[in-house]
């Protein structure tokens, strides 16, 4: 009896899905400039407590990823400190129907008070800087970003070919979105709701040369009554000079249609050329773990989240990344963007730089020290006639615990 029971137990354990998980938590002390939703002191101090759980469940055909992170923000307000919560959930499931076809489903939601780095993610924007003359908005106004998408990955039975695509629905902005056009001095922008289509393919013509094809489209409805539609088509080529150095060039065209809120204005058609170039290369710094650099220049249509205008914009950026033992890393980013238009946005510009350092403490397996810094310089016709600056620094302690079985 003992031998059959032992065999049955072994079969049950062997057939159970494998699970890996990572539990972590961080505590950050933040010094920053005030947000658009705040008034009072020009420099504020905050504390962030953020536990996080990452897990992966997988079998031969199915892989499910799940992440959950609540952020408890003890934020200095105008009169007294406040406690606000920002919750983020991410889930993804990949199911392999056959060897060359995988179906996937993705859902992510961020909900709660305004993030410290800005009032939320506009389309193509980073943090939005403060404006001392801005109209005050209730700091407890809730912000939401949610995206649900389904898609596929396949090779169509062709060697060296990879094709993937997703179709999703996105809601981004204040839960109670603005219902009128934004005017100068306003701190918020309209809520956005839109379907989003992404399709991308890679074909390896040789070991060093790849042909790419990208299709991206969305139809954005704003809570102010405006509506913008855009479809981008970009064939491209990527060349690998070495396993660590590659260059990609993606020219293309974008067609769009703008539907104004006013009934006396007719819809306008938009046609724009687009171009994106990316260079990945190591930087000769360090003996064992070189610094990786990514240089990117783009000319793309940009949907301004404040005025809802669809305009051409160019941006250049450099990303630097160094990774060492035990997940030690240093990340640096520099971005500059400027609209290339003769319209109302012709004098707008944005500069942003970020730095993040994560290093394990000596004689400790689970403790890391973390430092962050961010500076944003923005000139926007709605915010102010003068450029405005937002900065953010933090020092924190991170605790991580990994466990699982393969």
């Amino acid at each position: 009896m003992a031998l059959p029971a032992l065999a049955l137990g072994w079969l049950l354990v062997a057939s159970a899905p494998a699970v890996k998980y990572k539990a972590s938590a961080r505590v950050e002390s933040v010094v920053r400039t005030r947000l658009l939703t705040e008034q009072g002191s020009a420099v504020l101090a905050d504390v962030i407590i953020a536990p996080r759980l990452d897990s992966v469940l997988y079998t031969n055909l199915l892989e499910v990823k799940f992440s959950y992170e609540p952020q408890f923000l003890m934020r200095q307000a105008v009169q007294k400190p406040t406690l606000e919560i920002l919750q983020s959930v991410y889930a993804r499931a990949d199911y392999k129907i056959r060897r060359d076809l995988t179906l996937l489903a993705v859902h992510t939601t961020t909900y709660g008070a305004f993030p410290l780095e800005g009032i939320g993610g506009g389309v193509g924007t980073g943090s939005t800087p403060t404006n001392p003359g801005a109209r005050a908005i209730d700091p407890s106004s809730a912000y939401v970003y949610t995206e649900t998408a389904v898609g596929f990955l396949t090779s169509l039975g062709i060697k060296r070919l990879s094709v993937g695509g997703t179709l999703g629905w996105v809601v981004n902005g204040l839960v109670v979105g603005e219902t009128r056009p934004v005017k100068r001095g306003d701190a918020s922008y309209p809520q956005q709701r839109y379907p989003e289509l992404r399709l991308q393919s890679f074909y390896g013509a040789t070991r060093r040369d790849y042909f790419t094809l990208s299709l991206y489209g969305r139809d954005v409805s704003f809570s102010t009554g405006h509506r913008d539609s855009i479809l981008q088509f970009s064939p491209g080529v990527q060349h690998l000079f070495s396993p660590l150095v590659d260059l990609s060039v993606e020219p293309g065209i974008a067609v769009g249609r703008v539907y104004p809120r006013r009934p006396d204005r007719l819809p306008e058609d938009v046609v724009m050329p687009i171009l994106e170039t990316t260079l990945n290369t190591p930087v000769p710094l360090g003996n064992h773990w070189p610094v990786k650099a990514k240089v990117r220049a783009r000319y793309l249509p940009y949907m301004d989240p404040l005025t809802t205008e669809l305009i051409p914009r160019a941006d250049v950026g450099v990303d630097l990344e160094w990774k060492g033992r035990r997940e030690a890393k240093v990340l640096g980013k520099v971005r500059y963007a400027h609209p290339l238009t003769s319209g109302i946005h012709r004098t707008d510009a944005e500069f942003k730089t970020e730095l993040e350092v994560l290093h394990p403490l000596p004689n400790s397996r689970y403790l890391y020290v973390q430092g962050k810094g961010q500076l944003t310089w923005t000139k926007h016709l709605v915010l102010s006639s003068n450029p405005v600056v937002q900065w953010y620094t933090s020092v924190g302690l991170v605790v991580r615990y990994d466990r699982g079985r393969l």
Side-chain angles (χ1 to χ4, degrees):
M1 293 294 294
L3 186 60
L6 182 61
L8 180 60
W10 182 86
L11 289 174
L12 291 176
V13 172
S15 62
V19 178
K20 296 187 296 184
Y21 64 87
K22 177 192 294 183
S24 62
R26 76 178 192 272
V27 179
E28 295 184 50
S29 176
V30 180
V31 178
R32 62 178 175 86
T33 51
R34 60 192 173 199
L35 301 178
L36 288 171
T37 58
E38 297 170 320
Q39 293 180 350
S41 301
V43 179
L44 304 177
D46 306 307
V47 175
I48 300 177
I49 301 176
R52 181 183 177 91
L53 174 65
D54 296 279
S55 61
V56 180
L57 180 150
Y58 56 96
T59 65
N60 291 334
L61 301 179
L62 177 66
E63 180 178 279
V64 179
K65 297 180 180 179
F66 176 80
S67 300
Y68 174 63
E69 182 182 72
Q71 295 184 19
F72 300 91
L73 286 68
M74 288 173 279
R75 196 159 68 179
Q76 178 181 335
V78 177
Q79 298 179 349
K80 61 180 181 179
T82 61
L83 175 62
E84 300 171 0
I85 302 176
L86 180 71
Q87 301 187 71
S88 298
V89 175
Y90 172 82
R92 170 170 173 160
D94 292 56
Y95 182 73
K96 183 178 292 187
I97 294 182
R98 58 175 188 263
R99 185 176 182 180
D100 65 340
L101 178 59
T102 300
L103 299 182
L104 59 93
V106 181
H107 177 79
T108 180
T109 295
T110 298
Y111 173 81
F114 294 140
L116 286 178
E117 297 181 0
I119 62 173
V123 179
T125 64
S127 62
T128 306
T130 185
N131 175 17
R135 174 178 57 87
I137 294 180
D138 182 9
S140 65
S141 297
Y143 160 86
V144 63
Y145 176 88
T146 179
E147 179 178 357
T148 302
V150 294
F152 67 93
L153 297 170
T154 182
S155 64
L156 300 176
I158 303 174
K159 291 183 178 180
R160 300 190 298 274
L161 176 66
S162 176
V163 181
T166 60
L167 179 63
W169 175 256
V170 180
V171 178
N172 180 24
L174 298 175
V175 174
V176 181
E178 291 289 308
T179 57
R180 57 176 177 74
V182 178
K183 299 179 181 179
R184 170 162 289 185
D186 286 353
S188 64
Y189 54 80
Q191 186 185 96
Q192 307 165 15
R193 295 174 176 265
Y194 53 94
E196 185 176 61
L197 172 67
R198 294 179 181 270
L199 183 65
Q200 194 166 26
S201 66
F202 295 86
Y203 176 70
T206 67
R207 292 183 177 181
R208 295 190 173 214
D209 297 290
Y210 291 82
F211 293 109
T212 63
L213 182 64
S214 300
L215 184 67
Y216 174 66
R218 58 186 168 177
D219 184 10
V220 183
S221 297
F222 298 90
S223 56
T224 56
H226 296 84
R227 179 184 163 199
D228 294 340
S229 301
I230 188 73
L231 182 65
Q232 300 173 205
F233 176 76
S234 303
V237 61
Q238 181 181 24
H239 179 72
L240 277 65
F241 297 95
S242 72
L244 297 178
V245 181
D246 65 85
L247 174 68
S248 62
V249 180
E250 296 182 41
I253 189 170
V255 293
R257 191 170 177 84
V258 178
Y259 302 86
R261 177 181 182 180
R262 293 173 52 181
D264 58 332
R265 292 182 57 188
L266 297 176
E268 301 178 6
D269 294 327
V270 178
V271 179
M272 301 181 190
I274 58 179
L275 177 64
E276 180 172 354
T277 60
T278 304
L279 172 65
N280 293 289
T281 180
V283 179
L285 295 175
N287 296 325
H288 302 288
W289 301 281
V291 176
K292 297 180 181 178
K294 180 178 181 179
V295 183
R296 184 172 66 178
R298 301 187 300 176
Y299 176 78
L300 295 171
Y302 173 75
M303 208 171 290
D304 190 276
L306 291 170
T307 63
T308 70
E309 293 278 343
L310 188 60
I311 56 176
R313 191 171 84 154
D315 68 73
V316 293
V318 178
D319 295 355
L320 299 175
E321 179 183 43
W322 174 86
K323 289 186 177 181
R325 291 180 298 179
R326 295 180 53 200
E327 300 187 47
K329 66 179 180 180
V330 178
L331 303 177
K333 297 181 180 181
V334 178
R335 295 278 190 279
Y336 178 76
H338 197 291
L340 300 180
T341 176
S342 59
I344 59 176
H345 289 281
R346 62 185 178 274
T347 60
D348 291 356
E350 182 181 43
F351 172 80
K352 183 177 180 180
T353 181
E354 300 178 56
L355 178 64
E356 179 180 350
V357 179
L358 183 69
H359 195 275
L361 292 178
N363 302 321
S364 176
R365 184 178 178 183
Y366 307 114
L367 296 179
Y368 299 77
V369 63
Q370 183 181 62
K372 295 180 182 179
Q374 178 178 293
L375 173 68
T376 304
W377 177 95
T378 303
K379 186 176 182 181
H380 195 284
L381 68 100
V382 170
L383 297 178
S384 174
S385 57
N386 299 316
V388 287
V389 177
Q390 179 83 8
W391 57 265
Y392 161 94
T393 62
S394 73
V395 177
L397 182 67
V398 180
V399 182
R400 289 183 176 177
Y401 179 74
D402 301 351
R403 189 173 179 85
R405 66 177 182 87
L406 298 177

